[in-house]
Amino acid sequence: MALKKRFLIKWGVSFALLASLLFIAWPLTEPDYPYSSVLNDKDGQLLAASIAKDGQWRFPQPDTIPHKVATCVRYFEDRHFYRHPGVNPLSIGRALWQNITSKKVVSGASTLTMQIARMMRGERRTFWQKIIETAIALKLEIKYSKKELMSKYLAMAPFGGNVVGVDAASWRYFNRPAHLLSWGEAASLAVLPNNPGAIFPGRSDVKYKEKRDRLLKILRQHRVIDSVIYDLSLLEELPGKPYPIPQKAPHLLSTIEKQREGSTTHSTLSSYWQTQTTQAVERHHRRQLANGVENLCALVVDLQSSQVMAYVGNTNDPDAQGNRVDIIQKPRSPGSSLKPILYAHCLNKGKILPRTLLPDIPTFFGGFSPKNFSENFEGVVPADKALAKSLNIPFVYLLRDYSYEQFHFDLKKAGISTLTRPPGHYGLSLILGGGEVTLWDLSNVYVKMYHALAGTNSPQVSFMKHSKRKAEIALDPAAIWYTFQAMTKLSRPDEENNWKTFSSSQLISWKTGTSYGFRDAWAVGLNGTVFVGVWVGNADGEGRSGLTGINAAAPLLLELMRISEHDRNWLEKLKPTMKSKQVCSVSGMLANPNCPALTEEVPEAAENSGICPYHTEFHMDETASYRVNSSCYSLSKAVKKTFFILPPTMGYFHSKVNASYLGMPPQHARCLSGASNPIEIIYPNPNSKIFLPVTLAGEKGKLILEASHQNEHATLFWSVGNNFYGSTQGDHKLEVFLPGGAHLLKITDQNGHEMKTAFEVVNDP
């Protein structure tokens, strides 16, 4: 008998050990639920959320546990939760006794851990399932801490309808986060998972209130709450019709969701800035609808941290076409908004100084003929004024000299990710919006420039906390400072014409842009505190008359700027140390000995910018009216005088807007032999091929020939081949009919100066 007893004990122990090993090795499979994507602001407040793929409002498991809700759940569902190992033997015994005496199931004896196990399996309640749930509960207690288990329960529990988890329930039933609920509200949520269908908020309120009040009484009895809180909690109303989940940043959520679906994103957005920006966008949207413009977006960035404070990717108007598109991330033509970047790079490389004169004349680059928005020409214009006035022609010349290949490289290195084609695809049109950029990338470039100027080692623009990517751009701080300085001179919209008269007006460095065909209106700017970027247009690319950056986008930018704190001296405080050079007061280039010079601070690469070629000293006759030289005039009688002389075409157009411009003084009659040619042909370009279309009336198209002369009173005589076509004075333009084929244009003036150019008409209309 003793031998048999020892045998049974031995096998019993072995079986127990084997069962224990199997239990430990038994894998714990947890369900892979689809979760809602959740976006919080910088303070952890909910900005937006999307419903999970299975149609449930199921937020991801929270990082923190709302104390009041957790306490209410424990006292209602499992008072001994922190003392049992997942199974409560006393509760099982009590449940068995109640079920036997009642001759029906009136108590399940499930602990919170067992309820988690049941929710994980989702099976029907049977005795065998109860055994399995008990085993899973024990396993869960081994794997997780009590705090983790409570968090799991609060994230998985059903709260009626399609609401799962306490975070979603708190927003659906009380329109605020769970940690801000009162004791009465927490108790109202805690009793729901017990039977969410029978006491769904808004119906069966009597049973619902009985359960809630019973729980509040238990809390009072256990001194969790005092009598005052108890009495006040009893008076609180039950939740009614569910609230909609907040959608304060839906476009950012949709963008984040592409990579972080089913997760909680703690963003850098400020609820205040997001609300203010959204309201401003919607007001502006209503105004733009009158012009058939349905979409717009705005981005606000804190300059010190590079953190996004407001991200409004589009209007929330459900009737607007394309309102779901996140325009901030959508590639669009930038119009002129890249000009400050080119200006800064040209200063950085020493291609120009801040006021270097740039050509502003009728221009033909093969088949590309840029025009200024005003369609006027100034002959020459200082680079900083060309930027402030957003003139196209000077910047096309600037890009030609800088090289579009280099600028294409610079833009990509700075973070413009949408220039996916080779530089030649864009050519010189790149500076006028010939490529596409996103507002996100463009904002990053300008914020990088600010940090390079400020000398701060800050991260790139980000809506995610703890971004580690550094905001770096290879530009001399002096080049950036002069760029931002020029951007402060931009003309403001009509309603802001008197802005300088207000002592509180901000110093804003900003730039607008308008794409070809009036499809995109841009405005970007910074005031030392924030960066603001705005785009206005139609998501489908439809252009609208009057859709310009200055009229459509700038007013919204300036409205947002007014919300921001600012320091009017921010740019002066950031001015870097620079070296001084003698600069020509007229041409803005390094002064030659004949220039009227000023001492100015210049960027590091100023030596590469070249000496002023426009100021030349001449020997003049005794009246100082005519140029002379030693071969035709006694220099002992001559006087020396310095003149500012532009190339003929530049001088011709410059004289139209600047009456003080004298140009080249005339040559003395005795000295005409060997004089430089004062004629310049503007169009056609040498060896160009020209297409002349047939007009709508079916007539042959005309070719407009154009030239300039240093002497505004000169007469020019025009001939093509052996045919004389006429003469011109003042405005040297001539319309001619020409057959297809090669031609030679010859222009002469009354003094015998001559200029020729060959070209070809490629059709014969």
Side-chain angles (χ1 to χ4, degrees):
M1 180 63 71
L3 182 63
K4 183 177 181 181
K5 186 176 181 180
R6 287 197 299 271
F7 176 80
L8 291 173
I9 293 172
K10 179 180 178 180
W11 277 100
V13 171
S14 298
F15 178 79
L17 290 172
L18 179 61
S20 299
L21 290 173
L22 289 173
F23 176 75
I24 294 171
W26 173 44
L28 184 62
T29 304
E30 300 190 36
D32 186 18
Y33 294 122
Y35 288 98
S36 300
S37 298
V38 177
L39 177 65
N40 292 331
D41 71 5
K42 65 184 181 67
D43 298 317
Q45 299 300 305
L46 181 65
L47 286 173
S50 63
I51 200 164
K53 285 185 175 180
D54 61 356
Q56 304 293 308
W57 284 111
R58 183 188 294 108
F59 287 10
Q61 187 169 330
D63 299 327
T64 58
I65 298 173
H67 168 70
K68 292 177 184 177
V69 179
T71 301
C72 289
V73 165
R74 181 165 64 87
Y75 275 93
F76 188 74
E77 296 283 358
D78 187 359
R79 198 177 308 166
H80 304 290
F81 173 68
Y82 289 106
R83 295 198 294 271
H84 62 65
V87 179
N88 190 340
L90 295 177
S91 297
I92 293 175
R94 184 181 67 252
L96 285 173
W97 174 254
Q98 290 175 345
N99 293 340
I100 291 171
T101 56
S102 301
K103 296 182 180 181
K104 62 179 181 179
V105 177
V106 296
S107 178
S110 292
T111 64
L112 279 180
T113 315
M114 292 173 67
Q115 292 184 49
I116 294 172
R118 183 174 68 249
M119 288 185 285
M120 287 172 56
R121 289 181 57 76
E123 301 286 348
R124 295 181 57 189
R125 297 187 181 186
T126 64
F127 179 76
W128 175 244
Q129 288 300 329
K130 200 76 170 180
I131 298 298
I132 296 176
E133 288 169 9
T134 300
I136 293 175
L138 294 172
K139 187 82 172 179
L140 287 169
E141 291 280 348
I142 294 173
K143 184 175 182 180
Y144 297 106
S145 68
K146 289 291 187 180
K147 183 179 179 181
E148 290 171 326
L149 290 171
M150 177 60 78
S151 180
K152 272 185 172 296
Y153 175 84
L154 293 178
M156 297 172 65
F159 284 87
N162 65 341
V163 181
V164 178
V166 69
D167 280 355
S170 181
W171 280 102
R172 287 289 278 163
Y173 299 139
F174 298 106
N175 199 33
R176 57 180 175 275
H179 70 274
L180 294 181
L181 298 180
S182 67
W183 280 105
E185 292 166 340
S188 298
L189 287 186
V191 302
L192 279 177
N194 184 260
N195 193 355
I199 54 173
F200 182 77
R203 65 172 184 263
S204 304
D205 284 352
V206 175
K207 291 182 179 180
Y208 188 13
K209 190 173 189 306
E210 287 176 355
K211 284 200 171 188
R212 186 203 66 175
D213 293 352
R214 187 165 68 249
L215 172 56
L216 289 170
K217 186 176 181 180
I218 293 172
L219 296 175
R220 174 70 184 93
Q221 290 171 346
H222 287 80
R223 298 182 179 179
V224 176
I225 59 177
D226 58 29
S227 58
V228 175
I229 294 177
Y230 172 68
D231 292 338
L232 292 174
S233 298
L234 291 175
L235 297 175
E236 292 186 26
E237 294 184 0
L238 297 172
K241 183 180 179 180
Y243 292 92
I245 294 291
Q247 298 296 336
K248 297 179 180 179
H251 300 96
L252 177 57
L253 178 65
S254 67
T255 293
I256 292 175
E257 206 170 16
K258 294 174 183 177
Q259 296 184 344
R260 294 174 53 85
E261 184 178 11
S263 62
T264 298
T265 299
H266 298 284
S267 75
T268 63
L269 269 63
S270 157
S271 284
Y272 171 79
W273 267 102
Q274 186 68 15
T275 299
Q276 293 294 315
T277 304
T278 299
Q279 292 174 352
V281 164
E282 294 307 321
R283 286 193 298 270
H284 197 68
H285 166 64
R286 289 191 291 271
R287 291 195 292 267
Q288 290 299 314
L289 279 175
N291 190 33
V293 178
E294 300 197 62
N295 307 110
L296 69 173
C297 64
L299 185 71
V300 181
V301 181
D302 175 67
L303 282 174
Q304 308 311 311
S305 64
S306 297
Q307 293 182 345
V308 175
M309 297 193 295
Y311 188 112
V312 181
N314 208 325
T315 175
N316 291 323
D317 180 0
D319 297 325
Q321 293 187 10
N323 71 306
R324 294 182 179 273
V325 178
D326 181 2
I327 301 290
I328 290 175
Q329 304 292 340
K330 185 80 171 176
R332 306 291 303 203
S333 169
S336 298
S337 57
L338 299 181
K339 287 176 181 174
I341 304 172
L342 175 61
Y343 180 80
H345 277 284
C346 288
L347 288 172
N348 186 68
K349 292 287 180 67
K351 293 291 184 180
I352 58 171
L353 294 184
R355 296 187 297 104
T356 296
L357 292 179
L358 300 177
D360 184 26
I361 56 178
T363 303
F364 306 90
F365 296 99
F368 177 49
S369 178
K371 298 286 190 298
N372 294 325
F373 190 79
S374 65
E375 297 189 354
N376 294 324
F377 309 100
E378 296 186 31
V380 290
V381 62
D384 57 349
K385 289 186 178 180
L387 178 57
K389 297 172 74 172
S390 198
L391 299 177
N392 291 336
I393 293 173
F395 271 88
V396 173
Y397 272 102
L398 192 59
L399 181 58
R400 184 196 64 178
D401 294 342
Y402 185 73
S403 101
Y404 60 77
E405 294 90 348
Q406 181 63 49
F407 190 50
H408 181 272
F409 173 81
D410 293 335
L411 290 174
K412 294 191 70 172
K413 188 175 180 181
I416 301 297
S417 60
T418 49
L419 298 177
T420 56
R421 300 198 177 189
H425 172 79
Y426 309 102
L428 295 177
S429 71
L430 182 59
I431 195 58
L432 303 184
E436 288 189 328
V437 304
T438 65
L439 179 58
W440 181 258
D441 285 351
L442 191 63
S443 301
N444 253 301
V445 175
Y446 280 105
V447 174
K448 285 179 182 180
M449 290 171 66
Y450 172 84
H451 285 296
L453 172 60
T456 51
N457 190 21
S458 296
Q460 291 195 49
V461 173
S462 177
F463 47 72
M464 302 282 288
K465 290 185 176 180
H466 314 302
S467 174
K468 295 181 179 179
R469 297 181 62 189
K470 296 301 179 184
E472 298 176 351
I473 193 165
L475 286 172
D476 176 16
I480 299 172
W481 189 87
Y482 273 114
T483 301
F484 286 169
Q485 180 69 25
M487 290 169 66
T488 65
K489 308 300 182 182
L490 189 68
S491 300
R492 300 196 179 195
D494 291 341
E495 61 266 29
E496 294 275 327
N497 272 348
N498 296 322
W499 67 276
K500 289 185 179 179
T501 64
F502 297 96
S503 59
S504 61
S505 62
Q506 297 188 35
L507 182 72
I508 304 173
S509 292
W510 62 305
K511 184 72 185 73
T512 59
T514 304
S515 68
Y516 177 78
F518 302 103
R519 295 181 176 90
D520 307 270
W522 298 76
V524 294
L526 58 156
N527 66 356
T529 302
V530 298
F531 168 88
V532 176
V534 171
W535 175 93
V536 181
N538 287 308
D540 62 3
E542 180 185 359
R544 302 299 297 177
S545 176
L547 182 64
T548 64
I550 199 71
N551 292 322
L556 177 55
L557 176 139
L558 297 175
E559 181 177 348
L560 294 174
M561 284 290 184
R562 284 193 288 268
I563 300 173
S564 166
E565 295 181 357
H566 64 279
D567 178 358
R568 295 186 66 191
N569 297 317
W570 69 272
L571 191 54
E572 193 60 32
K573 291 178 180 178
L574 293 177
K575 187 174 183 179
T577 301
M578 292 180 264
K579 58 187 178 183
S580 297
K581 289 285 186 180
Q582 291 295 105
V583 176
C584 177
S585 62
V586 182
S587 71
M589 303 176 71
L590 295 179
N592 72 33
N594 298 312
C595 285
L598 298 172
T599 301
E600 292 186 357
E601 294 178 310
V602 293
E604 187 67 29
E607 288 86 351
N608 302 328
S609 63
I611 304 297
C612 173
Y614 303 127
H615 280 92
T616 306
E617 186 178 67
F618 292 104
H619 284 96
M620 308 293 291
D621 69 349
E622 293 175 275
T623 66
S625 301
Y626 298 95
R627 288 180 290 132
V628 297
N629 57 63
S630 59
S631 65
C632 62
Y633 197 87
S634 174
L635 295 186
S636 61
K637 298 179 180 180
V639 294
K640 290 183 178 180
K641 189 174 181 180
T642 298
F643 288 85
F644 173 64
I645 303 171
L646 295 168
T649 303
M650 296 182 194
Y652 170 70
F653 285 99
H654 187 59
S655 66
K656 289 187 172 185
V657 296
N658 190 336
S660 63
Y661 176 72
L662 300 176
M664 177 77 76
Q667 193 87 350
H668 196 283
R670 298 201 301 259
C671 305
L672 289 175
S673 177
S676 60
N677 198 331
I679 304 172
E680 186 170 333
I681 295 176
I682 299 174
Y683 188 77
N685 291 341
N687 302 313
S688 60
K689 293 184 178 181
I690 301 170
F691 174 78
L692 295 179
V694 176
T695 67
L696 293 176
E699 300 175 349
K700 292 181 179 181
K702 291 182 179 181
L703 174 62
I704 300 177
L705 308 174
E706 188 169 3
S708 64
H709 197 284
Q710 288 182 348
N711 182 356
E712 61 179 323
H713 303 296
T715 300
L716 296 185
F717 304 92
W718 304 71
S719 61
V720 179
N722 295 322
N723 299 317
F724 175 72
Y725 280 89
S727 62
T728 57
Q729 285 185 321
D731 190 12
H732 298 293
K733 290 182 180 180
L734 192 69
E735 293 185 352
V736 296
F737 289 107
L738 291 177
H743 299 279
L744 179 66
L745 170 65
K746 182 174 71 171
I747 303 175
T748 58
D749 67 7
Q750 69 271 29
N751 294 319
H753 297 109
E754 181 181 283
M755 181 66 70
K756 296 179 181 180
T757 189
F759 63 96
E760 181 180 355
V761 175
V762 296
N763 67 317
D764 187 3

